[in-house]
Amino acid sequence: MQAYTSPSVLQTNHGSLPSRDAIIKTLLDFRELLLPGYYGIVAQAATRERVRGLVEDIAAELPKQIALALCHDRKLPREHCAECSDCQAEAEAIVWDLLDRLPALREMLAEDVEAAYLGDPAAHDHDEVILSYPCVQAIFVHRIAHDLFTRGVPLIPRIMSEYVHGRTGIDIHPGAQIGRRFFIDHGTGVVIGETTVIGNNVKLYQGVTLGALSFPKDANGSLVRHIKRHPTIEDDVVIYAGATILGGETVIGRGSVIGGNVWLTHSVAPYSKVVIEEPHIRIVTRTETARTT
């Protein structure tokens, strides 16, 4: 019997991989900083000492994980990775830049919470939105993951986005550009692709897909990457449940409303309303069924 050999795709010969558990722990620390009083500590205990401790924890752990991701992405050998001062210095600069942006990120997240509260008549107060709405969890993680993604951090932003995808059913690639006051009502089944651009004051419902129309290949048959494959959604757009919008050249104009279950592969002008014509529905009653049998 021939001996089994593990596929090379399951082997790594370049450096150590970052720790998924450590990355998730860091995310929870960020959540406590961005939503103080709701997670980890009560409002009365949100002291400067606690905030300082969270910042120190992030500043100590996240650069390690980013440095490992950088070494692995650059295919540096294990022995070099253990003492890679260049990757470590780059990682520390990325993390401190992110920490400096926390006040701005907190302001954006507060606007997202407000958009959810104003956009959902079932919301009783802001506390309910923060503690229970999956869109808040998804957009909070996306704000962090996208920041790291734009700074060229490999692997870690995707680990973050897939972690919250598993918890909320909302799949947002960290590369997607999302404006202010963003709200996803219900949320389950929403997919937002890597090169999607979303403006301000946009509202999505469950099951919306902002995806790629096709996957072009090069002369060797390999997928062409790093091109605009996903749609652009301008300001003040509402997209209802189950709608699918595809293609990098597709632009949904400002102020438009896209109805439920619409399939779009081309642009629409600003302030358009796109709906499916009401289908013919036949209702067969019990009496009619008995009469035909």
Side-chain angles (χ1 to χ4, degrees), residues 238-245 252 256-264 266 268-269 271-279:
V238 178
I239 306 177
Y240 282 93
T244 298
I245 303 173
I252 306 303
S256 294
V257 176
I258 309 300
N261 298 316
V262 164
W263 177 282
L264 267 180
H266 57 81
V268 299
Y271 304 103
S272 298
K273 184 176 182 180
V274 183
V275 296
I276 296 176
E277 291 185 353
E278 185 172 349

Side-chain angles (χ1 to χ4, degrees), residues 2 4 6 17 43 49 56 60 98 105 118 137 146 153-154 181 194 202 224 256 258 274 286:
Q2 185 175 4
Y4 175 77
S6 298
L17 289 167
E49 289 75 16
E56 289 175 352
L98 174 57
L105 291 174
L118 295 177
Q137 304 302 313
H146 180 71
V153 175
R181 297 174 294 279
E194 176 187 11
V202 170
V224 177
S256 294
I258 309 300
V274 183
R286 181 176 298 180

